[in-house]
């Protein structure tokens, strides 16, 4: 991957071209490239009526021509390379360019629909590339359970000079982010149209945010961690304020920007101090440098604290969760669902990688702190949700409590070896990845149903607004009920499977008290989940609600909600394959 290939034209001068390992960040390249394409097509010049789209067609042909030219150049340059995948990849990209031509010509009069379709295909392509990566880097057999069994693990390669990891954590998190984006698109399309805030930049921003999230999950260097955090944060700041005429949306964007900038500054300061201590920002190298210390000095402890606070902000752990309810409530609801699911998955992937990789020698310092934070987060999130009346704020505090459950898995991980062969550590990491994927479906789905009801009420949904809606809208109400009982961890749903995996990892690691707190928090949370369900199906609809007209039918939104609901049921009834896949993914590079 790091060899140099002499170019035939430049060989006389001794110049060489680096064989860049594009495969390491191929999902990010797909997401970013499709985002640029969607942005280009949106800014190609459209009249207010949607007619006269000659500029859009011209931009499409220019973009497609550039893509085809790049494919041809890559094929020509690498035609003689033995075992190269470039011809195959060039052909796939060329087919994508042709599809782009067809979509642009077909949907030239509906620019928003064109953006939605291209964005959906972009997420699907990134998901396909991730599956290809999984197959390419799989096949390592590692003995576990005292040598009695052997399981196939995802590879633990680190490419780009050790900057990017191609391991189980990165690949599984990419699954979660891409699936969250694919479900969000149909839900967001109907919501944005109804609220008249459907702007063309929504889809490029969604892709750019996903690019940062997937890059964060694969970051094997602290510098790349910070870059990825900024990429996803900048896109989410703008997306939170897309409803420019809604003061709540503008307030959420401003609060998110200010507190996000503050947390990023703390994270960057911690990275700088970590470099001062270890002399490197590469995560495995930092771990080896800290392992050689006889005792941590004050600078090391300060670096640890800064990194902990920075990641606690990003994952909404108490007491660094203050931004969560206001931002979740004010942002457009589909954006909130995507933010709650995908950002949490990416942030926790980086959190686990940094603390189990770089800071593993200091686990005796940070593990007790995270245990205390997890206890406060689980209880605080559940208790604060009880006193809320706005449904989005209830779900926001629910997200805080679920961050505490994931923290159980974090403190249950013993430091892994360089090859990731410690079974207990793999099981805990696998439980975290499983929980984050299941939470993706539950979170995006529940916020999607809330978005459906907001389109009817023309305002933020409260518990009173939900009264009796289960009889008028049985399908979305039943879907919301399914997501809520799954969030509560009721058996037969995917949420139960995820919580069982996390709690079992905690018990195996000796964190029995922490698991008991998690069970108590789940019981408390079941109260406000059931209260929402009771409002929809038991109580009578109010006179004010009866006078409100029904929203227009949206098959696209119901499709997204239905896909999330099916995933929650299937992964709850037949979880074996996903659990096994998550355990295989519990590997780290380096």
């Amino acid at each position: 991957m790091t060899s140099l290939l002499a170019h035939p034209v430049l060989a006389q001068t001794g110049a060489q071209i680096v064989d860049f390992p594009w495969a390491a960040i191929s999902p990010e390249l797909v997401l970013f490239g499709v985002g640029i394409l969607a942005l280009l097509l949106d800014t190609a010049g459209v009249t207010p009526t949607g007619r006269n789209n000659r500029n859009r067609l011209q931009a499409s042909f220019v973009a497609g021509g550039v893509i085809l030219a790049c494919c041809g150049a890559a094929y020509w340059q690498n035609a003689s390379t033995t075992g190269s995948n470039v011809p195959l990849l060039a052909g796939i990209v060329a087919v994508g360019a042709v599809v782009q031509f067809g979509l642009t010509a077909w949907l030239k009069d509906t620019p928003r629909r064109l953006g939605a379709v291209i964005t959906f295909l972009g997420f699907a392509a990134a998901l396909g590339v991730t599956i290809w990566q999984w197959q390419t880097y799989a096949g390592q057999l590692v003995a576990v359970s005292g040598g009695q069994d052997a399981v196939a693990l995802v590879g633990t390669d680190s490419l780009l000079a050790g900057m990017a990891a191609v391991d189980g954590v990165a690949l599984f998190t990419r699954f979660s982010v891409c699936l969250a984006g694919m479900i969000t698109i149909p839900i967001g399309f109907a919501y944005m149209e109804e609220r008249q805030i459907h702007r063309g930049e929504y889809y490029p921003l969604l892709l750019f945010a996903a690019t940062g999230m997937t890059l964060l999950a694969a970051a094997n260097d602290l510098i790349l961690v910070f870059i990825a955090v900024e990429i996803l944060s900048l896109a989410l700041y703008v997306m939170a304020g897309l409803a420019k005429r809604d003061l709540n949306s503008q307030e959420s964007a401003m609060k998110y920007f200010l507190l996000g900038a503050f947390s990023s500054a703390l994270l960057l300061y911690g990275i700088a101090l970590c470099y001062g201590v270890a002399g490197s920002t590469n995560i495995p190298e930092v771990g080896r440098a800290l392992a050689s210390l006889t005792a941590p000095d004050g600078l090391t402890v300060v670096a640890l604290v800064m990194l902990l606070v920075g990641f606690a902000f990003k994952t909404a752990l108490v007491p660094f969760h203050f931004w969560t309810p206001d931002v979740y409530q004010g942002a457009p609801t589909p954006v909130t669902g995507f933010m709650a699911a995908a950002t949490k998955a990416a942030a926790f992937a980086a959190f686990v990688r940094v603390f189990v990789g770089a800071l593993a020698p200091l686990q005796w310092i940070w593990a007790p702190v995270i245990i205390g934070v997890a206890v406060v987060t689980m209880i605080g999130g559940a208790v604060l949700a009880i006193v809320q009346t706005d449904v989005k704020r209830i779900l926001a505090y629910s997200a805080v409590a679920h961050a505490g459950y994931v923290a159980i898995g974090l403190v249950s991980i013993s430091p892994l070896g360089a090859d990731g062969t410690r079974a207990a550590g793999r099981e805990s990491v696998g439980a975290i990845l499983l929980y984050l994927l299941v939470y993706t479906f539950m979170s995006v789905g529940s916020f999607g149903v809330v978005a459906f009801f907001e389109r009817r009420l023309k305002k933020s949904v409260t518990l009173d607004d939900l009264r009796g809606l289960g009889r008028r809208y049985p399908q979305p109400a039943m879907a919301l009920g399914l997501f809520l009982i799954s969030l509560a961890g009721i058996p037969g749903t995917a949420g139960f499977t995820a919580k069982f995996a996390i709690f079992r990892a905690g018990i195996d690691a000796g964190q029995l008290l922490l698991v008991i707190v998690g069970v108590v928090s789940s019981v408390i949370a079941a109260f406000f989940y059931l209260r929402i369900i009771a409002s929809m199906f038991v109580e009578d609809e109010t006179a004010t609600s009866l006078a409100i007209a029904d929203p227009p039918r949206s098959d696209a939104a119901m499709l997204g909600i239905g896909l999330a609901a099916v995933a929650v049921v299937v992964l709850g009834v037949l979880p074996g394959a996903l659990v096994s896949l998550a355990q295989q993914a519990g590997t780290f590079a380096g």
Side-chain angles (χ1 to χ4, degrees):
M1 286 294 183
T2 58
S3 62
L4 297 179
L5 297 176
H7 194 281
V9 177
L10 302 179
Q12 298 177 357
T13 62
Q16 291 179 315
I17 297 178
V18 177
D19 183 14
F20 193 84
W22 298 105
I25 55 172
S26 51
E28 290 74 28
L29 293 175
V30 170
L31 292 171
F32 185 77
V34 176
I36 293 294
L37 175 62
L39 185 62
L40 175 64
L41 294 179
D42 181 71
T43 58
V46 178
T47 61
T49 59
R51 302 175 183 172
N52 187 17
N53 290 289
R54 181 180 302 174
N55 291 339
R56 173 170 281 105
L57 287 173
Q58 291 175 348
S60 175
F61 277 94
V62 169
V66 171
I67 294 173
L68 291 175
C70 291
C71 290
Y75 182 86
W76 170 76
Q77 178 181 333
N78 296 274
S80 60
T81 304
T82 304
S84 175
N85 290 321
V86 171
L88 176 61
L89 296 178
I92 294 174
V93 176
V95 171
V98 174
V99 171
Q100 171 218 323
F101 292 154
L103 287 174
T104 306
W106 177 37
L107 300 173
K108 62 181 182 298
D109 294 327
T110 54
R112 302 295 177 260
R113 193 179 301 274
L114 173 63
V117 172
I118 288 179
T119 303
F120 184 89
L121 293 178
F123 277 112
L127 188 63
V129 172
T130 303
I131 295 174
W132 169 77
Q133 282 186 324
W134 188 292
Q135 295 175 344
T136 301
Y137 291 93
Q140 299 181 22
L141 295 180
V142 180
V144 298
S145 303
Q148 300 298 321
D149 301 308
V151 295
L153 298 178
V154 180
T156 56
D157 293 343
S158 58
L159 306 176
L160 297 176
M163 294 283 289
V166 184
D167 54 20
V169 173
L171 299 180
F172 204 91
T173 305
R174 284 167 172 157
F175 289 154
S176 299
V177 173
C178 291
L179 290 173
M182 295 174 69
I183 298 174
T184 300
I185 290 170
I187 295 173
F189 184 88
Y191 179 88
M192 299 292 180
E193 284 288 314
E194 181 69 18
R195 287 197 60 185
Q196 297 181 352
I197 58 174
H198 205 169
R199 304 178 63 85
E201 59 266 27
Y202 167 68
Y203 297 107
L205 288 171
L206 193 65
L207 288 163
F208 294 154
T211 302
M213 294 170 187
T214 56
L215 190 62
L216 178 61
N220 202 41
D221 190 280
L222 294 176
I223 297 297
L224 191 58
V225 167
F226 178 75
I227 293 174
V229 166
E230 290 306 296
I231 293 174
L232 73 91
S233 297
L234 290 174
L236 290 177
Y237 297 154
V238 180
M239 293 173 67
L242 276 178
K244 295 194 292 185
R245 289 173 291 184
D246 186 348
L247 293 180
N248 289 329
S249 178
Q250 300 307 301
E251 179 185 357
S252 70
M254 182 58 67
K255 288 182 177 179
Y256 194 24
F257 169 71
L258 293 176
L259 293 177
F262 177 69
S263 64
S264 296
L266 292 176
L267 183 64
L268 182 60
Y269 190 48
I271 292 173
L273 293 179
C274 199
Y275 175 77
V277 172
S280 175
T281 56
N282 182 266
I283 290 177
E285 290 294 332
V286 171
R288 286 187 278 269
L290 294 180
S292 64
L293 298 178
T294 56
D297 54 13
L299 192 63
T300 304
V301 174
V302 173
L304 170 62
V305 171
M306 292 296 172
L307 291 174
L308 177 59
V309 172
F311 281 112
F313 263 109
K314 299 302 179 184
T315 54
L317 294 173
V318 176
F320 309 103
H321 70 291
F322 296 110
W323 61 273
T324 306
D326 291 337
V327 173
Y328 280 24
Q329 182 184 17
T333 306
V335 175
T336 301
F338 179 74
M339 184 191 311
T343 305
K344 192 181 297 293
F348 264 112
F351 201 164
V352 171
R353 187 184 301 278
V354 170
F355 275 74
V356 177
L359 303 178
L362 304 179
Q363 188 173 15
W364 60 277
I365 298 177
W366 56 258
V369 177
I370 295 183
I371 289 174
V373 169
V375 170
V376 178
T377 301
M378 289 185 289
I379 298 298
V383 171
L384 290 174
I386 292 177
V387 300
Q388 307 298 319
T389 58
D390 186 275
V391 177
K392 288 175 70 174
R393 292 185 72 89
I394 292 175
L395 294 177
Y397 282 109
S398 168
V400 172
H402 282 275
Y405 303 145
V406 180
I408 295 177
L410 176 59
V411 298
S412 301
I413 303 173
S414 57
L416 299 176
D419 55 359
T421 57
R422 298 190 62 173
R426 260 201 337 273
E427 291 175 357
S428 298
V429 177
I432 292 175
L433 297 175
L434 173 66
Y435 198 99
L436 293 172
L437 176 60
V438 170
Y439 183 77
T440 295
F441 294 114
M442 298 186 297
S443 177
V444 176
S446 58
F447 280 107
V449 178
V450 173
F452 174 87
F453 289 137
E454 282 186 353
R455 292 166 51 211
R456 175 181 183 268
L457 299 168
K458 310 297 183 183
K459 69 180 187 69
S460 184
V461 179
T462 64
L463 289 175
D464 289 337
D465 296 326
L466 292 177
R467 292 174 59 180
L469 293 186
R471 291 186 287 275
R472 181 181 288 196
Y473 307 105
Q475 294 178 347
M478 290 177 63
L480 180 57
L482 173 64
F483 296 133
L484 292 175
I485 63 175
S486 183
L487 287 167
I490 304 299
T493 63
F496 172 78
T497 302
K499 279 191 178 180
F500 181 81
I502 281 287
F503 290 165
R504 184 177 66 178
I507 292 174
D508 292 343
Q511 302 292 342
L512 181 60
L513 180 60
L514 199 57
V515 172
I516 293 174
V517 174
V519 173
V520 172
S521 173
S522 299
V523 173
I524 297 173
F527 171 78
F528 57 80
Y529 292 138
L530 295 177
R531 185 172 64 165
I532 296 176
I533 297 175
S535 297
M536 292 189 296
F537 293 100
V538 178
E539 299 181 7
D540 295 328
E541 199 168 358
T542 63
T544 303
S545 181
L546 287 169
I548 299 175
D550 292 342
R553 180 177 178 84
S554 174
D555 294 332
M558 292 307 300
L559 175 62
I561 296 171
L563 291 175
V566 169
V568 168
V569 173
V570 172
L571 298 181
V573 178
L574 301 172
L578 182 64
V579 172
S580 176
L581 193 66
Q583 289 181 351
Q584 292 183 38
T587 58
F588 291 100

